[in-house]
Amino acid sequence: QLQLVESGGGLVQPGGSLRLSCEAPGLDAYSIGWFRQVPGKIRERISCISHSDGYTFYVESVKGRFTITRAKNAVNLQMSSLQPNETAVYYCAATDDETCRARYKYWGQGTQVTVSS
């Protein structure tokens, strides 16, 4: 059992930056993805980092603006140039698949990110 906890959400102005963190004991044995869900829309996978640190993924819309990194039992997501349509609940999740393609088994509770002027 992996109990993921997200933190770092909050209110930012358009164009601003925010760093999210996903933490859990044993997290470094898993590939970790970041997802976001806008109210009324489907959940979207936006980034992933493999458990070996040999592979990262970014959805096209965040390339060049978001950076995913590992720390000890943690994965961080640095987000820059945030826009209002990226207001969402952001979740991290864990998979055994080093390619980040398999179904994610464990999910955190989410952290709210609000981008507003």
Side-chain angles (χ1 to χ4, degrees):
Q1 181 65 255
L2 193 66
Q3 299 186 62
L4 303 171
V5 178
E6 304 97 333
S7 63
L11 175 65
V12 296
Q13 303 234 355
S17 298
L18 205 61
R19 177 174 288 176
L20 306 182
S21 182
C22 176
E23 298 177 280
L27 177 148
D28 51 1
Y30 293 84
S31 298
I32 302 296
W34 281 99
F35 298 75
R36 64 188 176 195
Q37 189 163 26
V38 177
K41 295 179 66 178
I42 196 73
R43 186 172 57 214
E44 177 188 29
R45 184 170 67 108
I46 58 173
S47 189
C48 186
I49 187 165
S50 73
H51 63 79
S52 66
D53 288 327
Y55 173 79
T56 58
F57 164 82
Y58 300 95
V59 71
E60 188 68 27
S61 63
V62 309
K63 284 182 179 177
R65 298 189 297 117
F66 290 14
T67 303
I68 190 168
T69 57
R70 279 194 182 272
K72 184 67 173 180
N73 286 324
V75 168
N76 299 314
L77 185 69
Q78 178 68 46
M79 307 186 294
S80 299
S81 301
L82 287 162
Q83 298 302 309
N85 64 2
E86 295 177 302
T87 293
V89 178
Y90 284 69
Y91 300 89
C92 65
T95 177
D96 294 329
D97 182 10
E98 72 173 11
T99 73
C100 299
R101 295 292 189 181
R103 188 167 186 171
Y104 288 79
K105 299 177 182 179
Y106 306 106
W107 291 81
Q109 81 287 350
T111 186
Q112 177 71 44
V113 172
T114 302
V115 187
S116 177
S117 58

